[in-house]
Amino acid sequence: MNLVEKDLKYIWHPCSQMKDYEELKPIIIDHGKGVYLYDTEGKEYIDIVSSWWCNLLGHCNQTITESIKRQLDKLEHVIFANFSHEPVIALCEQLMEIIPKGLTKFNFSDNGSAAVECALKMSFQYQYQTGQQKKTRFMCLTEGYHGETIGALSVGSVDLYAKIYKPMLMDAIHVEAPDCYRCPYGKCRDACNVECFEHAEKAFAEHADETCAMIVEPLLQGSAGMRIYPALYLKKLRVLCDEYQVLLIADEIATGFGRTGKMFAFDHAGVSPDIMCVSKGLTGGYLPMAITITTDEIYEAFYADYNEGKAFMHSHTYSGNPLGCSAALGVQKILREDNILEKAAVTAEYLHNKLNQALIDHPHMGEIRHIGLVNAMELIIDKKTKEEYDSKLRMGYQIYKIALQKGLILRPLGNVLYFNPPLIINEEEIDKAVAICAQSIKEVIG
Ligand SMILES: *Cc1c(COP(=O)(O)O)cnc(C)c1O
């Protein structure tokens, strides 16, 4: 049996209809370098989706690799209750310099969904312990995505992931999200007064007294098809949350560490959340780690004599894992020393212009929305009506298959193709990726 046959014999791949693999076999990757991945036959692929958005600075980056190797010879893991270590302390010190102000306390876990669960439980218990025992529900935006565990799915609204499990989920309040491409108010993104904020105002007026927190993906609803909304929405949400004593949770798992052009998406709004979840880019996609970061005020509500029972009794085996921290320290070193965000701002403009030149006039290109290096291309039947392709046609998937043959990993979100490359991508790599993308679209829909 070769590797592909053995893979199919044993492995149930994530987020996949395994029958699809009869036609499109698993691609066995041997190694990676920068934005490139290489399969066992030496074929090269541009990883334009950053391996599910986590590979922040390219594959096999020497600085990150060295940082992990040094740690590996000293300490791989230690129980994090009552014990600590230098890498985790160094990491918190460094993150303190870049996170939105007011956030001061770091609770570690090992994946994005776990960080979200932690944020939800923390909010609930905070409200409970500060005399707001009626506040037991959560608010979220429609089209939001916060992970796949039961709590995280409950505050998510992407039917593809959540629908079948509805009977298992908590009853969250889903506030209609901004929809800038198909704005019901006939406005343009970034030239509006976020008229759609009325839905949040209405939901708060009705439900704030029973709501402990609102969770959002700031500015960029990733899994919904990279839907982008204005920073003004976050500003207004901050005010509303304060007014009604609802905690504001920022899920920066996809947007953190420069993905939107600033270090965090909330920085565009100039306000801070009460709780922020980070993962993905935190370790550059090297090792699974996540952090739920919060304020002194929330932390203090749990601080009491043991027998008062106020502690946050929440734990994960791999909390604060030293290897994960060493990877994250490697990422911080690069972000600091190599002016990555400044450079990425220049390539981001280059990338967006290139995609526009190549594709904006295509009869089936709806819009090419962008923030930072993230660019999303929504395929539609008709530019005027913005009518969508039937999802059963799997337009995005057809194009993905062609692009793969040509060496580009363009894994779509329904009818939305997107680029979310490592921040270190250069102009030559962009040219190549855009050319393959345009050619693949042409071969599938003309
Ligand atoms: C990926 C993601 C998650 C879930 O992270 P996992 O590590 O896959 O559990 C949560 N929220 C957002 C916005 C994400 O992009």
Side-chain angles (χ1 to χ4, degrees), residues 29-30 39 44 60 114 191 226 253 259 297 306 328-329 403 424:
I29 294 300
D30 179 71
D39 71 14
E44 181 180 276
C60 283
M226 301 290 174
I253 292 163
R259 287 293 189 192
E297 189 187 332
Y306 182 82
L329 283 168
I424 47 96

Side-chain angles (χ1 to χ4, degrees), residues 180-192:
C180 300
Y181 177 47
R182 294 182 174 83
C183 179
Y185 306 85
K187 304 279 173 158
C188 294
R189 185 186 292 121
D190 291 326
C192 73

Side-chain angles (χ1 to χ4, degrees), residues 218-230:
L219 302 194
L220 178 68
Q221 292 190 294
S223 298
M226 301 290 174
R227 287 167 44 135
I228 299 167
Y229 63 89

Side-chain angles (χ1 to χ4, degrees), residues 27-327:
I27 297 160
I28 315 286
I29 294 300
D30 179 71
H31 62 283
K33 189 73 206 160
V35 301
Y36 291 105
L37 290 167
Y38 299 86
D39 71 14
T40 44
E41 275 148 32
K43 184 171 169 173
E44 181 180 276
Y45 299 86
I46 302 176
D47 188 3
I48 210 70
V49 298
S50 293
S51 282
W52 261 345
W53 320 349
C54 65
N55 187 281
L56 190 72
L57 300 166
H59 294 279
C60 283
N61 178 291
Q62 208 53 33
T63 304
I64 304 174
T65 305
E66 289 302 326
S67 184
I68 300 169
K69 279 184 180 166
R70 272 196 305 277
Q71 184 57 38
L72 197 49
D73 283 331
K74 283 178 79 179
L75 176 69
E76 79 302 325
H77 189 60
V78 60
I79 175 173
F80 205 45
N82 222 126
F83 289 80
S84 195
H85 47 83
E86 200 257 320
V88 75
I89 295 163
L91 178 61
C92 293
E93 265 188 323
Q94 293 189 19
L95 291 178
M96 275 304 291
E97 291 171 15
I98 59 168
I99 56 178
K101 68 172 186 298
L103 297 172
T104 52
K105 297 288 180 191
F106 299 74
N107 190 299
F108 284 80
S109 51
D110 46 24
N111 66 75
S113 307
V116 168
E117 299 286 337
C118 173
L120 299 178
K121 286 174 67 182
M122 194 183 270
S123 317
F124 178 94
Q125 191 170 341
Y126 167 81
Q127 299 287 10
Y128 186 91
Q129 287 174 182
T130 54
Q132 305 265 18
Q133 273 131 356
K134 281 205 203 103
K135 289 183 175 280
T136 57
R137 296 179 73 192
F138 296 96
M139 260 190 227
C140 56
L141 291 176
T142 57
E143 305 297 322
Y145 177 89
H146 302 286
E148 313 268 353
T149 50
I150 304 303
L153 265 188
S154 301
V155 290
S157 315
V158 181
D159 272 355
L160 181 63
Y161 310 116
K163 196 172 174 193
I164 183 148
Y165 307 107
K166 287 254 160 84
M168 299 170 66
L169 304 182
M170 293 187 290
D171 182 22
I173 300 145
H174 296 248
V175 177
E176 192 173 321
D179 184 1
C180 300
Y181 177 47
R182 294 182 174 83
C183 179
Y185 306 85
K187 304 279 173 158
C188 294
R189 185 186 292 121
D190 291 326
C192 73
N193 258 320
V194 288
E195 282 73 5
C196 55
F197 196 71
E198 66 180 6
H199 297 294
E201 283 166 343
K202 192 159 167 272
F204 273 69
E206 275 173 34
H207 298 291
D209 58 341
E210 49 170 342
T211 301
C212 50
M214 166 126 195
I215 184 166
V216 294
E217 290 165 275
L219 302 194
L220 178 68
Q221 292 190 294
S223 298
M226 301 290 174
R227 287 167 44 135
I228 299 167
Y229 63 89
L232 181 59
Y233 195 95
L234 296 178
K235 261 191 197 173
K236 290 194 165 212
L237 196 55
R238 178 68 276 178
V239 174
L240 200 60
C241 283
D242 286 341
E243 191 182 327
Y244 285 99
Q245 297 180 330
V246 169
L247 296 177
L248 181 52
I249 304 171
D251 178 351
E252 294 254 10
I253 292 163
T255 49
F257 305 103
R259 287 293 189 192
T260 65
K262 296 200 187 261
M263 193 57 83
F264 295 96
F266 254 78
D267 296 339
H268 292 269
V271 294
S272 295
D274 299 297
I275 300 176
M276 181 167 89
C277 303
V278 295
S279 185
K280 294 203 165 101
L282 172 64
T283 64
Y286 274 60
L287 288 162
M289 192 167 84
I291 322 178
T292 305
I293 313 172
T294 191
T295 59
D296 283 341
E297 189 187 332
I298 292 178
Y299 175 84
E300 293 299 336
F302 296 72
Y303 199 89
D305 284 335
Y306 182 82
N307 286 334
E308 285 184 47
K310 287 192 167 175
F312 191 41
M313 298 307 282
H314 178 89
S315 58
H316 287 286
T317 308
Y318 286 104
S319 181
N321 177 261
L323 295 174
C325 291
S326 66

